[in-house]
Amino acid sequence: MTKTDRSARILFTIVGYRDPFSKSGQDRQAPGPVLSLLSEMDHFTGIVLVHTGDKTENACTLKQIIQERHGIETVTSELKISDPTDYEDILQGLRRVFRETAREVSDGHYYVSMSSGTPQMHASWLLLTASGEIPARLLQVREERYQKPDQLLVREIDPRVRVFPRVLPSTTPVIAQGPDQARILKLKQEIGIVGDHPALMDTLTQAARVAGHDASVMILGENGTGKDLLARYVHKMSPRAKGPLISVNCASIPENMAESQLFGHRKGAFTGAERDHAGYFMQAHGGTLFLDEAGELPPYIQAKLLRAIQQKEFYRIGDTAPSKVDFRLISATNRDMARGIDTGEVREDFYFRLNEFTLLLPPLRERKTDIPSICASFLPKFNKINQNLFISPDAYETMYGYHWPGNIRELYNRMQKASIMSVDGVITARDIFLDEPLKARSGIPEPFEGFSMESHTKNIRAKLIDRAMEKADGNMSLAARLLGMSAQAMYKEMKKRQSS
């Protein structure tokens, strides 16, 4: 493998008995799982064929075919195990194989094929990737007998979707190298990303790592978390930093104008086209195109975008020849696009093309320790209205107890109003929360004669359990983990409810 290639895309795959060719059915020379995958997806710069001792010949033959047909650098690596069903041996062997490759390609983009090998090997790949120990994306080739006409032959398996149980992150990742922290902090300050909560810093570190690649990035996060700032951060951290960053709010594009705005048009192409127009894709040439709220695009526009994203070419309205364009794609959404596939609102191929790498921005309620520094960053803007503003301790205490559904955007708006309403420059809890009672904000009632603290805490406990069960879709073990309880304690709680 090429040393330290920042654009490297490495595929790891087990070599099975059906590789390189299928040996069942009428056509015994039909492509096996690995060759089938490459028939749909051959953009890899390197392939690691992992094989057991009895599959050495299969691996060597497969390597030769791949290099002849696809011209992809391919290496073989023996998985030295005595039992192909022994989980511990398989896990240690896969760690070794990945570590050896990672030493040579220290900043590559990794993929794992789940279509060959024993069930124990499949489970081991799933555990290693779901835990984050191996930073790779899982691919699966559908068997021909199960493939429907409207389905892709190769699909990605995302272990983060809710149908999978939660796998705790590994504390000892196989790849420990990280981007320059000094550069991360400097760019973070320049762009205006405020806070140092571990969840935020982890996202920024991941973003810095992926910025050097041209892989499409999808930013997930609630409204008001700063997805646009993270997109700018990835752009500025990338080799395309000197090129343009074109931001498009997909939710605001009129459906009848979407094609014109995205791809552009020639003069006279339709009524009202009085001059040539370069669309957003052409404007992003040499830089980055940021599609904010990409999940709002209708399916027929998603289909048109696929060609532009995959082949980096498109047709302007009125053109007979395609326009070539060089750009890096970043998208953002606050909706569950994976679920949109089931409802038909999101095309599966569009989703996976956007989501070659995922960055998750934590909501403000999960990083409340950043609230003081975020507020401090706002004050200089508001001091023009009311000089020498000061935030009182009771204001911070109440802000810590609030759930912030609108995230940082809501905090900004509340601070702006509070700066106007404050008396003598002191911002109090009442100034920040003018539009709702204090009791509703903090969830802490005012004590009164006859008040029962035991009853109140019992009610809160019940509500937390109900909320956890709702988030876990009725899965008691997952709900227990969300609450930091053992499964046995959760079972007792539910049993106690049923008997009362």
Side-chain angles (χ1 to χ4, degrees), residues 26-88:
Q26 295 181 346
D27 186 1
R28 293 180 175 270
Q29 287 298 304
V34 177
L35 292 179
S36 294
L37 187 154
L38 294 177
S39 69
E40 295 290 315
M41 190 181 289
D42 66 350
H43 64 297
F44 306 106
T45 56
I47 298 176
V48 179
L49 300 176
V50 185
H51 63 92
T52 51
D54 60 328
K55 298 294 185 297
T56 301
E57 185 177 345
N58 298 56
C60 292
T61 304
L62 180 58
K63 173 183 174 181
Q64 183 178 353
I65 293 171
I66 291 172
Q67 291 178 332
E68 288 175 355
R69 292 186 183 180
H70 300 277
I72 302 173
E73 183 183 359
T74 305
V75 298
T76 60
S77 181
E78 184 177 351
L79 191 63
K80 297 179 180 179
I81 55 176
S82 56
D83 180 354
T85 65
D86 187 308
Y87 283 105
E88 290 188 16

Side-chain angles (χ1 to χ4, degrees), residues 9 22 29 77 91 108 136 169 207 247 283 326 347 362 377 408 421 437 484:
R9 295 186 176 203
S22 174
Q29 287 298 304
S77 181
L91 286 165
S247 297
Q283 293 173 36
D326 173 35
R347 290 176 57 105
S377 72
I408 298 172
M421 300 306 296

